[in-house]
Amino acid sequence: MNILKRILFCLFLMLCINPMKADAKDVHTTNDGIEIECDYYEKIATVVGYEGEPNIVSIPAEYDGCTVDRIDDKAFAYSSTIQVVNIPNTIKYIGQEAFEYSKKLKEVNFAEDCDIEVLSGYAFNGCESLSKVVYPTKGFVIISDGAFSGCSMLKDCYISDRTEEIGNYAFENTGVTNLKITNSVKLIGSSAFRECQNITSVSIPASVLYIGNNVFMDCVNLVDATIKCNLISSGLFSGCINLKCIDLGDDIEEIESNAFSKTAISKIVIPYSVKKVGYGVFYYCEQLTDVYVLGKNIKVDEIFSSNSNITLHGIVGSGTDGCAKKYGISFVPIDSGELTATVNDAKKVVLSWSGVEGAQKYTIYRSNKESGYYEAIDELSSDKDSYIDKTVERGKTYYYFVETQKKLDETLIATVQSNIVKIKIEEVAIKLSAESIKVNRTAKLYLWASEDVENVQYEIDNPKIVSVKWGKEWNGNKIAVYLFGEKKGSTKITFSNDYNSDKVEVYVTVSQGKIKLSKVNIGKWKKVSKKNASVVEYKIKWASVKNASGYEVIESCYDGALRRWSSTKQTTKKTSWSYMTSRLDTSKVKIKVRAYRYEGNKKVYGGWSKIETTKIKF
């Protein structure tokens, strides 16, 4: 019995120390029939269901002390009563199928400052009466699969500047009219806008890195499309029976199967960036008459259904040319310009090309590798047919091509690429020559090169004797060098360049170096005279300095009232200085002097004298 009491007592203590927590979550139903689950420990709440009758539902921002921040999966799915729903700015998450098949739902109003990053999959799928959505200003980062699929009455599609992904079937079979895909979008899923009957124009930006299949399939009122991304996916515009105008960007690398099948295009330009064209790309394009293929190595076999009216336009000797011959298709050559490259006497690359008919401008591209990155180095007007690249280096190999923007016909403008040329700049030694020279303070020396040269270096055996400055005369193979004598003596200057195995040595004799000015030997201040009761004059003298052109004086006065010095800098040709002051102005004056002379247009100074100070006495 005692043992049982002890056990019960221990259990009692355990319960006192670790009391059992009640369930932290509780589900409540509002007067509108909204079921809300409250987490009282986290102070947050989730809308988990709806059993109400009202056709206008406003989700509360707060309930029973908890912030409502989520709408759970299927919370309002299959509602037969809701027509309008208002979503507060506290909502951060809308679950999958949250309003799916709420067929009477007409209007969804997000708070302007609502911040929902991910709109979950099929959130409004099948809401066939939904015609108005007031989107949050920020929009969504991700619009998940089927988010608005089947909302046939919905005309507005808001893709914001922060939207990155549009999921599979996201807006399939909606009434979207004005579609703008922003430059923030990186992914567009398969069938994202399939069967959107009201879209008439679309532009896919270069920011899109992945685009799924059949994205715009059967958008029957789509008339024109611009594609700047690097892939045209399978069936992208298949069945767009009124699509007549397609503008393909210069970065597209692949066009997959059936991309433009069953469209109304009559002409299309396939840019030279395209490496691969898939099966049946233009199947059943009954109005197609002209296909311009600007690349040389593209195979275009089996991309058409039988159509005797098609004319292929391409580069002579290209895969397009071979296809035309193989299948008996009419072929018209495209002039892309024949490029040649030579090296001139100055070891610069000279590019020449045959003028391209219909050219509007030329762009020169260069690379260090044939299959590497080609950089645009210059742009020329249409009347040019040659170019000199002056930025090349000896001993290196370069690859070039010329891109021509030209009119293909009265309505089509495209860019064509010339052949790629390879050129190597040989590393040939440049000979330098010069004669030894005598220097009397300064002298000009000329270096002569066997051909034009840009980079010349020098090395002075004894820099204390002579210094060097490059002159303005640098005409390729004639280079002016100014020499400045520092002190009497002889030394050697060795000149060389990047491509010269030999060096030229110049012997320099300096007969007279720089003239150095001595320090000024300054005297003492002397009181000259007393002008009147309140004005006095002081004067100071110094010995003249040999070769000086004049003297620079710094005069400082001490204001006894303000207790500070003020200084002025002046020049004089004299060897003396006068100072006049009144009793009220100055109590002390000090001065220092240095000599200067001119070397050309430049002032050269000697050292400062000692500072001479005097007290003003009346």
Side-chain angles (χ1 to χ4, degrees):
M1 191 68 178
N2 289 333
I3 295 174
L4 181 59
K5 286 183 179 180
R6 288 178 182 177
I7 292 173
L8 291 173
F9 180 71
C10 289
L11 289 173
F12 174 74
L13 288 176
M14 289 175 63
L15 288 172
C16 290
I17 296 171
N18 296 304
M20 301 174 73
K21 293 183 179 179
D23 191 357
K25 295 182 180 180
D26 200 2
V27 177
H28 306 268
T29 302
T30 68
N31 294 333
D32 294 336
I34 303 173
E35 296 178 354
I36 299 178
E37 182 181 74
C38 294
D39 184 336
Y40 292 105
Y41 287 100
E42 299 293 336
K43 297 295 182 182
I44 56 175
T46 302
V47 176
V48 295
Y50 180 70
E51 297 294 338
E53 296 298 328
N55 53 26
I56 298 177
V57 174
S58 295
I59 297 172
E62 186 266 345
Y63 186 84
D64 200 17
C66 298
T67 300
V68 180
D69 68 347
R70 292 170 60 90
I71 299 174
D72 211 355
D73 298 349
K74 299 180 180 292
F76 295 91
Y78 296 92
S79 171
S80 60
T81 60
I82 295 178
Q83 296 183 23
V84 178
V85 62
N86 299 310
I87 300 174
N89 61 1
T90 56
I91 296 295
K92 306 296 182 185
Y93 174 82
I94 296 180
Q96 294 196 32
E97 304 168 13
F99 295 89
E100 186 177 43
Y101 291 111
S102 295
K103 296 194 174 184
K104 291 187 178 181
L105 181 61
K106 297 179 180 180
E107 184 176 329
V108 177
N109 298 306
F110 289 90
E112 182 179 355
D113 55 346
C114 201
D115 187 8
I116 300 173
E117 290 195 358
V118 180
L119 183 61
S120 298
Y122 303 93
F124 296 95
N125 175 44
C127 296
E128 58 188 30
S129 299
L130 182 60
S131 60
K132 179 182 177 182
V133 176
V134 177
Y135 296 92
T137 302
K138 287 185 176 181
F140 311 104
V141 176
I142 298 173
I143 303 173
S144 299
D145 295 353
F148 293 98
S149 178
C151 299
S152 56
M153 302 292 289
L154 182 62
K155 295 184 178 181
D156 293 324
C157 166
Y158 181 51
I159 299 170
S160 74
D161 288 334
R162 74 167 185 165
T163 302
E164 296 181 2
E165 296 183 17
I166 302 171
N168 302 325
Y169 313 103
F171 292 92
E172 180 191 30
N173 191 23
T174 61
V176 169
T177 303
N178 297 315
L179 175 61
K180 181 183 177 183
I181 301 174
T182 58
N183 290 324
S184 60
V185 175
K186 299 176 182 178
L187 178 148
I188 303 176
S190 296
S191 301
F193 298 95
R194 184 171 180 169
E195 295 181 10
C196 290
Q197 310 295 332
N198 296 328
I199 296 177
T200 58
S201 179
V202 66
S203 178
I204 304 173
S207 62
V208 175
L209 304 177
Y210 173 82
I211 187 164
N213 298 334
N214 309 321
V215 171
F216 295 97
M217 177 179 273
D218 296 330
C219 292
V220 295
N221 288 304
L222 183 62
V223 175
D224 64 86
T226 301
I227 304 103
K228 300 297 182 183
C229 59
N230 63 4
L231 170 68
I232 297 178
S233 56
S234 179
L236 181 63
F237 295 103
S238 180
C240 298
I241 58 176
N242 284 300
L243 181 59
K244 297 179 180 179
C245 181
I246 298 174
D247 181 9
L248 304 184
D250 291 333
D251 294 326
I252 295 171
E253 297 179 359
E254 183 176 357
I255 303 175
E256 293 185 346
S257 61
N258 297 296
F260 303 110
S261 62
K262 299 179 184 179
T263 59
I265 55 175
S266 59
K267 299 177 182 179
I268 191 167
V269 178
I270 299 177
Y272 67 79
S273 59
V274 174
K275 305 293 190 297
K276 183 179 179 181
V277 180
Y279 176 85
V281 167
F282 300 108
Y283 266 29
Y284 305 107
C285 294
E286 303 299 334
Q287 299 178 45
L288 183 62
T289 57
D290 294 271
V291 178
Y292 296 81
V293 184
L294 306 183
K296 296 181 179 180
N297 301 315
I298 305 174
K299 289 186 177 182
V300 291
D301 298 43
E302 299 182 342
I303 66 172
F304 314 102
S305 51
S306 58
N307 189 334
S308 58
N309 296 323
I310 288 179
T311 299
L312 282 174
H313 303 253
I315 310 299
V316 173
S318 65
T320 307
D321 188 3
C323 176
K325 291 175 181 177
K326 180 179 179 179
Y327 294 100
I329 300 173
S330 176
F331 179 79
V332 176
I334 295 176
D335 181 13
S336 60
E338 185 66 26
L339 180 64
T340 59
T342 57
V343 178
N344 64 12
D345 293 340
K347 297 298 181 284
K348 309 302 178 189
V349 174
V350 179
L351 300 174
S352 302
W353 59 90
S354 55
V356 176
E357 183 180 356
Q360 296 182 331
K361 67 175 182 179
Y362 299 105
T363 305
I364 313 299
Y365 285 84
R366 185 183 73 186
S367 177
N368 294 323
K369 296 180 180 179
E370 185 172 11
S371 58
Y373 169 73
Y374 283 79
E375 179 185 7
I377 59 173
D378 212 339
E379 189 175 289
L380 306 175
S381 57
S382 60
D383 59 334
K384 306 296 183 183
D385 58 7
S386 64
Y387 177 76
I388 299 177
D389 185 2
K390 298 180 180 180
T391 62
V392 293
E393 297 180 26
R394 296 173 187 244
K396 290 191 175 182
T397 300
Y398 296 93
Y399 297 84
Y400 296 87
F401 70 81
V402 175
E403 183 184 84
T404 306
Q405 185 181 81
K406 62 171 289 181
K407 291 183 71 173
L408 298 176
D409 63 12
E410 292 303 316
T411 59
L412 293 178
I413 296 175
T415 53
V416 295
Q417 178 188 314
S418 73
N419 56 302
I420 294 175
V421 294
K422 173 184 177 181
I423 191 82
K424 183 175 182 179
I425 317 299
E426 297 296 336
E427 191 167 353
V428 180
I430 297 175
K431 305 295 182 181
L432 293 175
S433 61
E435 296 182 356
S436 297
I437 191 170
K438 290 185 177 181
V439 178
N440 183 10
R441 295 188 187 168
T442 62
K444 183 190 276 187
L445 168 72
Y446 283 104
L447 282 175
W448 298 90
S450 58
E451 57 184 83
D452 285 359
V453 65
E454 292 179 357
N455 300 310
V456 177
Q457 300 87 33
Y458 65 85
E459 183 178 348
I460 304 172
D461 279 8
N462 190 347
K464 293 182 178 180
I465 292 177
V466 70
S467 59
V468 171
K469 182 180 179 182
W470 297 112
K472 293 183 179 179
E473 298 175 56
W474 191 310
N475 299 321
N477 62 348
K478 179 184 177 183
I479 307 161
V481 183
Y482 287 99
L483 305 178
F484 297 92
E486 300 292 334
K487 73 176 185 177
K488 212 171 176 182
S490 297
T491 188
K492 180 179 72 176
I493 306 175
T494 304
F495 293 94
S496 62
N497 72 87
D498 291 343
Y499 312 106
N500 185 28
S501 56
D502 297 327
K503 300 176 181 180
V504 60
E505 296 178 341
V506 177
Y507 291 90
V508 178
T509 301
V510 178
S511 58
Q512 184 175 352
K514 277 184 179 178
I515 296 175
K516 293 186 177 180
L517 296 172
S518 304
K519 281 187 177 183
V520 175
N521 186 11
I522 197 168
K524 298 287 186 180
W525 284 102
K526 289 186 179 180
K527 186 176 179 182
V528 177
S529 64
K530 187 174 181 181
K531 300 295 182 182
N532 52 48
S534 61
V535 177
V536 69
E537 181 182 7
Y538 279 78
K539 192 170 186 177
I540 194 167
K541 294 182 179 181
W542 56 84
S544 64
V545 175
K546 187 179 179 181
N547 297 312
S549 301
Y551 302 91
E552 184 177 71
V553 177
I554 292 182
E555 175 189 272
S556 300
C557 306
Y558 184 76
D559 190 319
L562 297 176
R563 296 184 179 181
R564 68 183 183 188
W565 290 89
S566 60
S567 301
T568 59
K569 184 186 290 186
Q570 301 179 57
T571 58
T572 180
K573 301 265 184 194
K574 299 178 181 180
T575 57
S576 63
W577 188 259
S578 294
Y579 180 74
M580 193 176 296
T581 186
S582 68
R583 182 185 300 274
L584 298 176
D585 289 340
T586 307
S587 62
K588 293 179 186 178
V589 63
K590 60 184 178 181
I591 190 174
K592 66 178 181 178
V593 183
R594 65 177 177 176
Y596 68 84
R597 67 181 299 274
Y598 287 100
E599 289 186 3
N601 295 324
K602 184 180 178 182
K603 266 186 181 180
V604 178
Y605 294 92
W608 287 104
S609 70
K610 66 177 183 178
I611 298 173
E612 190 63 37
T613 307
T614 188
K615 290 183 178 181
I616 304 300
K617 296 179 180 180
F618 286 83

